[in-house]
């Protein structure tokens, strides 16, 4: 297993998750050497039957999550649970903490019930030291047959494990926004080979894409559609993958587009203690402004707290053409969005990522 | 900047392939009949939920208009209570509500009074300034149909209807019933189209806003295995059921005028028939989908003689009975029902779709009030086996059941071998349930439809010729059943599946209604 990257770009695949500890419904097994799959299946059955006869288990996909230490998983746990319940799943979490010297193997099993059925079966396989070598083969045997396999990958987008994930998965979900933008080059090269990658950073810019497209659909602004010459993106604190993907998307859609990317200001502080979900704070490297120049008009899309504004300036003084509220950041929202696609390549994303990778040399250091 | 249609031809380079749903332009929704049940139970809770789910533009406002003298803050307070009670998302999010309520205005006045519409116009212009709604208006007629002509006249008189190609949109949403019969439906269409262009008219049928009804299109046209057998060669017959356990529930005055044929068949049930039997549209857009639905309605054989109606239509009216272990009154005992009322509360009918695909396949439709339970479904019954290897009567024909409500989903019934027994087949079910397969809560029908109307997408709204074609079918029955010579509807006990004559309708074809 490879070591995780954490360079101030947030934890991988956190997807708005809040840390959670303890679960009284969890059953645990420890093994000395190698997993016993029969015992794991029996453990899962025991969790299904807790509190009486097991209700029906609904399962539409195998969701496989890969992490490299317990803390990463804990951070992502609520998001995985929510997304895995919205898309009823068998969730297999692999936590491989290779740098720990002592070998250990643990399995935790639990289920989530909703609407009179079991909608999430969860197996958390943890290994430390050399025992991490058993994780993959155990996971393969615990998959539900004939269902799509989606891998949520919490490591770098390269290396042996990622390669094997590409080979076995119908779809792989990463979060480019959790890593320095240079890794987009790796992702782009995998996409060029047809790897079915989904990206939470891509899902994070959906509202920007929708607002840009909607603004050009406004009847009195349609005349500018064919005249967009320049795009400028400003990211919070540092240039991040979201900004590059947004520019990459624009460049793949509009011919001969001059582009510019820069960083300004600071990311917003983590939101804590709000009773109701709000839009996620603007994290490091995330987009705070997109400007499209279509002479004589300039379209400025900007984020102010939880609202995106589309300002238009042309021959006149300018006005706000549209504004939209960013969606509330409930745990697993972005992951659940990505799980709407279970097979194949998102062509728009693939083109945007490849264009974004070509922009990397222009990223200010 | 003036808008000219030539710019429509420049494609939006950013639109193709987007996975994000588009957000409507800034706009104000005007609800006529804003103190009524529909506004309180459905429309405002639906708009609030669209705000919660981030589907509304931030530049948005609501203007309620009704006769009642109400202070604005009372109107807003009343709406907050209703949203608290009827919204699917609870509890109310104080911050979202505060912004939502800030955009609410109330105008009291009679629909006959031009001054009231001058006040409405002023309220809208104030919203344009304070909320940035930019002159875009969606007028929702949540009123009895008798008010429609006055509303249209007053809107036009107050200069509130912009031309269809104006950069500021004007759209009109009209609730059913869209007319009382073919003649009045046509007259209303003429009146509406004297004021608006068809592109600005959104005739709402809330059944089309249901996820499971929309899923019919996906089920039929996103799967390759069903299309080859979706025709007269493989389908024996189709049953469409839309039943409820409720009675008239305080709507007797309306129901006395409407009856089951106008209330359910002319709109909801015929829409289900259209979606079940239409040809694949050439594209998934409003015109193509509505064109195919209209073709189905044109192909349905309208009844020409009283004898044809007698042979194919059974009407019923409920008497006192028991539902869910409780006594319920008969129709005649309901408040505001005439003691000698002949209004039907049940209908069972057999229709033929004269088309290449469906000729000879009967479509049995039934709808009723005070049935044992609420159930809406479409059941496609396939042909029996030409020869059974496992003994006469050992197998049942396959059935595909699309459950619209409740327990939304699809079930395919087929034969499987009973374990241990020597080749004994038994019917089993392969079941897809929406609620458990997709964990996300589906939006309410009105959320979908209001959002589409704000976006200008007419796919899920009925077109002029579609409404008239549906009236033609309903009219061919009504002109016979509402004539003085016609026999009264057959009585059935509340809590049963309609009068025995409805069973006879299928029995004479060697078939039976599905037991639900």
């Amino acid at each position: 297993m490879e070591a995780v990257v954490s360079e101030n770009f947030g934890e991988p695949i956190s997807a708005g998750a809040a840390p959670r500890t303890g679960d009284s419904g969890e059953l645990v097994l420890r093994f000395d050497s190698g997993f016993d799959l029969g015992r794991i299946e029996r453990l899962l059955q025991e969790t299904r039957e807790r509190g009486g006869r097991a209700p029906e288990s609904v399962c539409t996909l195998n969701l496989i999550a890969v992490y490299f230490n317990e803390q990463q998983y804990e951070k992502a746990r609520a998001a995985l649970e929510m997304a895995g319940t919205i898309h009823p799943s068998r969730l297999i979490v692999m936590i491989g903490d290779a740098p720990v010297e002592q070998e250990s193997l643990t399995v935790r099993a639990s289920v989530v019930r909703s609407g009179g059925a079991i909608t999430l079966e969860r197996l958390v396989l943890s290994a430390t030291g050399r025992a991490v070598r058993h994780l993959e083969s155990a996971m393969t045997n615990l998959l539900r047959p004939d269902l799509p396999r989606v891998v949520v990958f919490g490591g770098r987008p390269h290396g042996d494990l990622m390669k094997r994930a590409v080979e076995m998965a119908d779809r792989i979900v990463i979060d480019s926004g959790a890593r320095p933008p240079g890794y987009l080059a790796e992702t782009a090269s995998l996409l060029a080979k047809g790897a079915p990658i989904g990206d939470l950073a891509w899902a994070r810019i959906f509202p920007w894409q929708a607002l840009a497209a909607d603004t050009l659909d406004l009847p009195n602004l349609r005349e500018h559609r064919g005249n967009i010459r320049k795009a400028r993106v400003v990211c919070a604190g540092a240039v991040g993958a979201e900004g590059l993907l947004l520019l990459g998307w624009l460049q793949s859609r509009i011919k001969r587009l001059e582009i510019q990317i820069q960083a300004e200001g600071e990311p917003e502080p983590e939101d804590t203690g709000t009773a109701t979900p709000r839009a996620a704070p603007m994290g490091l490297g995330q987009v705070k402004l997109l400007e499209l120049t279509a002479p004589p008009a300039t379209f400025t899309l900007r984020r102010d707290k939880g609202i995106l504004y589309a300002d238009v300036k042309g021959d006149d003084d300018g006005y706000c053409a549209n504004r939209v509220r960013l969606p509330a950041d409930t745990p697993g929202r972005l992951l659940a969005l990505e799980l709407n696609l279970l097979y194949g390549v998102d062509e728009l994303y693939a083109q945007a990522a490849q264009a974004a990778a070509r922009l990397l040399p222009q990223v200010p250091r | 900047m003036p808008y000219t249609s030539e710019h429509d031809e420049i494609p939006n380079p950013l639109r193709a392939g987007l996975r994000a749903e588009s957000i409507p332009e800034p706009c104000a929704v005007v609800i006529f009949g804003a103190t009524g049940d529909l506004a309180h139970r459905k429309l405002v809770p639906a708009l609030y939920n669209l705000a919660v789910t981030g589907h509304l533009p931030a530049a948005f406002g609501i203007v309620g208009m009704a006769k009642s003298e109400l202070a604005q803050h009372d109107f807003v307070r009343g709406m907050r209570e209703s949203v608290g009670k009827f919204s699917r998302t609870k509890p109310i999010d104080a911050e979202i509500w505060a912004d939502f309520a800030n955009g609410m205005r109330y105008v009291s006045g009679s629909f006959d009074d031009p001054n009231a519409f001058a006040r409405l116009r002023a309220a809208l212009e104030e919203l344009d300034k304070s909320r940035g709604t930019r002159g875009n208006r969606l007028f929702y007629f949540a009123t009895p149909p008798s008010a429609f002509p006055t509303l249209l006249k007053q809107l036009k008189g107050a200069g509130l209807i912009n031309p269809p190609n104006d950069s500021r949109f004007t759209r009109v949403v009209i609730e059913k019933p869209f007319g009382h019969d073919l003649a009045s439906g046509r007259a209303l269409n003429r009146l509406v189209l004297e004021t608006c262009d068809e592109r600005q008219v959104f005739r709402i049928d809330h059944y089309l806003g249901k996820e499971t009804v929309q899923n019919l299109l996906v089920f039929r046209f996103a799967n390759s295995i069903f299309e080859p057998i979706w025709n007269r060669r493989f389908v024996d017959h189709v049953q469409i059921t839309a039943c409820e356990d409720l009675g008239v529930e305080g709507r007797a005055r309306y129901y006395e005028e409407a009856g089951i044929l106008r209330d359910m068949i002319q709109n909801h049930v015929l829409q289900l028939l259209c979606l079940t039997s239409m040809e694949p549209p050439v594209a998934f857009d409003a015109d193509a989908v509505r064109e195919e639905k209209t073709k189905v309605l044109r192909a349905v054989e309208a009844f020409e003689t009283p004898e044809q109606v007698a042979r194919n239509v059974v009407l019923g009216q409920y008497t006192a009975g028991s539902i869910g272990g409780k006594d319920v009154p008969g129709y005649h005992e309901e408040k505001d029902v005439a003691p000698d009322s002949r209004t039907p509360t049940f209908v069972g009918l057999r229709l033929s779709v004269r088309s290449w695909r469906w000729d000879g396949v009967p479509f049995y439709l039934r709808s009723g009030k005070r049935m044992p339970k609420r159930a809406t479904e479409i059941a496609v019954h396939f042909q029996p086996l030409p020869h059974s290897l496992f003994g006469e009567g050992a197998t049942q024909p396959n059935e595909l059941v699309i459950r619209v409500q409740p327990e939304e989903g699809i079930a395919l019934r087929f034969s499987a071998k009973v374990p241990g027994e020597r080749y004994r087949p038994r019917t089993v079910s392969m079941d897809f349930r929406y609620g458990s397969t997709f964990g996300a809560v589906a939006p309410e029908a009105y959320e979908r439809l209001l959002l589409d109307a704000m976006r200008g997408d007419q796919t899920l709204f009925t077109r002029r010729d579609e409404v008239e074609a549906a009236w033609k079918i309903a009219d061919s029955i009504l002109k016979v059943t509402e004539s003085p010579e016609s026999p009264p509807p057959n009585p059935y006990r509340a809590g049963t599946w309609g009068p025995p004559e409805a069973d006879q309708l299928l029995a004479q074809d060697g078939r039976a209604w599905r037991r639900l």
Side-chain angles (χ1 to χ4, degrees), chain B residues 241-247 260 316-318 322-324 328 345-347 366-375 492-499 502 516:
Chain B
T241 301
C243 291
E244 53 186 343
D245 51 357
L246 298 175
I260 195 81
Q317 190 185 64
Y318 63 84
S322 170
I323 294 179
V328 293
T345 61
F346 171 91
V347 64
R366 71 174 153 168
S367 181
K369 286 195 170 294
R370 290 277 191 234
M371 307 261 99
K373 57 182 169 183
R374 183 173 80 115
Y492 64 96
R493 202 158 37 83
T496 65
W497 290 105
L516 304 177

Side-chain angles (χ1 to χ4, degrees), chain B residues 319-355:
Chain B
T319 59
S322 170
I323 294 179
K326 286 188 183 134
D327 285 332
V328 293
Y331 183 68
H332 282 168
E333 284 91 66
E334 302 271 14
K335 189 170 171 278
D336 296 325
V337 169
D340 57 348
S341 170
R342 289 161 56 110
T343 302
T345 61
F346 171 91
V347 64
L349 71 143
R350 176 174 41 213
L351 289 180
S352 304
V353 180
R354 295 289 185 211
S355 68

Side-chain angles (χ1 to χ4, degrees), chain A residues 246-261:
Chain A
L246 189 58
L247 276 184
W249 167 66
L250 289 164
Q251 216 169 34
S252 67
R253 308 304 308 163
I254 301 167
K255 283 179 189 156
R256 292 183 289 281
L257 183 72
E258 186 189 330
I259 60 101
Q260 190 187 343
I261 189 161

